[in-house]
C-alpha cells in the first residue's frame, strides 16, 4: 500500500527538526516539497525546501487543480501540497513525508485516510514556543507575534490527529516519532 506520513504543529514546535530526523533514519521516506508564495529564508533552496513561486503561478496551479490541499497559512502567504509530488514519490516506491500546517494536516489525513499516519507535534507551552521562535532568529518581531497568536488556535486541532507527541525534550520526541513510524511502516 502507498503510504504518507503527515507532521503538523504550530510553527516553532520543532516539527521540521523531527521531520529531518525521520528522513535520516528511514531511507524509505521522501520529503514532499510544497509550493509557497513566501520568500526564501536563510539557506533555503528552491526545489529543495520549497518551490518558491509567485502569487500568479500559485493561482494558476489552483485553477489546474494541481494541489491536494493548500492554505493561506499567513496573510498573503500561500502554501500548497502538489499532487505531482505525491505521485512522483510513490512511483519510486517510497513513502511520502509532509511538513504542513495544522489545517493542511487535517485535510491531508481526510484525503489519504488509512494510507496516512498523522502526527501532531506539541510545544511544551506557548511561552516556550515564543522563546524558540525568538532564539531561531529567522523571523522579525511582528512575524513572531503573529505565529504565537496563531499557535493557541492551532492547538485546538490536535485531537483530529492520529498521534500527539509533546516536544519537551528533543531526544525523547525523536525516539517517540521513530517508534510511531516503525510501527506504521511495518504494518
Ligand atoms: P514556514 O514559512 O515556517 O516554512 O512554514 C509555515 C507553515 O506552513 C509551517 O507550519 C509549514 O509546515 C506549513 N506548510 C509548508 N508547506 C505546506 C503545505 O504544502 N500546505 C500547508 N497547508 N502548509 C504548509
Amino acid at each position: 500500500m502507498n503510504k504518507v506520513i503527515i507532521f503538523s504543529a504550530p510553527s516553532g514546535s520543532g516539527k521540521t527538526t523531527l521531520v529531518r530526523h525521520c528522513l535520516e533514519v528511514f531511507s524509505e521516506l521522501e520529503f514532499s516539497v510544497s509550493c509557497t508564495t513566501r520568500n526564501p529564508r536563510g539557506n533555503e533552496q528552491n526545489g529543495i525546501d520549497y518551490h518558491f513561486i509567485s502569487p500568479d503561478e500559485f493561482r494558476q496551479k489552483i485553477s489546474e487543480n494541481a494541489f491536494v490541499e493548500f492554505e493561506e497559512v499567513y496573510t498573503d502567504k500561500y502554501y500548497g501540497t502538489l499532487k505531482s509530488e505525491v505521485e512522483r514519490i510513490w512511483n519510486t516506491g517510497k513513502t511520502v513525508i509532509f511538513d504542513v500546517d495544522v489545517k493542511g494536516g487535517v485535510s491531508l489525513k481526510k484525503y489519504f485516510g488509512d494510507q496516512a499516519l498523522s502526527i501532531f507535534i506539541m510545544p511544551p507551552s506557548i511561552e516556550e514556543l515564543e522563546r524558540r521562535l525568538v532564539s531561531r532568529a529567522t523571523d522579525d518581531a511582528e512575524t513572531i507575534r503573529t505565529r504565537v497568536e496563531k499557535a493557541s488556535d492551532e492547538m485546538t486541532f490536535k485531537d483530529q490527529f492520529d498521534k500527539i507527541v509533546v516536544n519537551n525534550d528533543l531526544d525523547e520526541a525523536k525516539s517517540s516519532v521513530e517508534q510511531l513510524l516503525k510501527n506504521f511502516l511495518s504494518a
Side-chain angles (χ1 to χ4, degrees):
M1 180 171 77
N2 288 325
K3 291 180 181 174
V4 306
I5 293 165
I6 304 158
F7 275 82
S8 292
S11 175
S13 308
K15 164 187 54 165
T16 303
T17 307
L18 290 168
V19 168
R20 291 210 182 110
H21 175 72
C22 292
L23 281 160
E24 275 167 26
V25 173
F26 299 96
S27 58
E28 61 267 60
L29 298 182
E30 190 166 335
F31 182 66
S32 165
V33 180
S34 294
C35 289
T36 184
T37 61
R38 81 150 165 78
N39 294 324
R41 281 199 302 250
N43 297 326
E44 286 178 336
Q45 289 178 50
N46 190 31
I48 293 178
D49 299 283
Y50 284 105
H51 299 290
F52 294 100
I53 63 175
S54 68
D56 274 348
E57 288 170 307
F58 202 97
R59 277 189 282 273
Q60 176 69 26
K61 289 193 186 300
I62 295 173
S63 69
E64 291 165 355
N65 202 17
F67 294 119
V68 182
E69 62 77 38
F70 66 91
E71 294 287 339
E72 185 181 11
V73 178
Y74 305 106
T75 310
D76 289 336
K77 302 283 183 283
Y78 288 84
Y79 296 78
T81 304
L82 288 167
K83 289 180 183 169
S84 57
E85 271 291 280
V86 177
E87 286 307 321
R88 183 184 65 74
I89 295 168
W90 278 350
N91 283 337
T92 67
K94 291 193 171 185
T95 291
V96 184
I97 182 164
F98 298 109
D99 175 338
V100 294
D101 86 322
V102 169
K103 286 185 185 155
V106 171
S107 302
L108 289 174
K109 175 65 191 179
K110 282 196 182 124
Y111 186 89
F112 291 107
D114 289 342
Q115 285 176 288
L117 169 68
S118 65
I119 303 177
F120 186 95
I121 306 298
M122 231 168 82
S125 65
I126 294 288
E127 293 73 29
E128 174 60 15
L129 181 113
E130 184 167 12
R131 204 190 57 70
R132 287 180 192 178
L133 286 172
V134 170
S135 69
R136 184 163 84 176
T138 47
D139 299 296
D140 58 38
E142 170 68 14
T143 307
I144 291 173
R145 199 177 53 79
T146 316
R147 290 185 176 212
V148 169
E149 275 172 17
K150 194 177 157 99
S152 319
D153 176 52
E154 288 173 322
M155 295 291 208
T156 64
F157 288 83
K158 64 182 190 310
D159 296 329
Q160 296 184 50
F161 285 75
D162 294 325
K163 304 285 177 190
I164 300 171
V165 172
V166 182
N167 186 8
N168 190 6
D169 174 89
L170 184 60
D171 286 332
E172 277 175 29
K174 280 180 179 172
S175 50
S176 302
V177 297
E178 265 182 52
Q179 198 52 52
L180 291 174
L181 263 62
K182 244 179 229 157
N183 295 343
F184 177 72
L185 291 169
S186 65

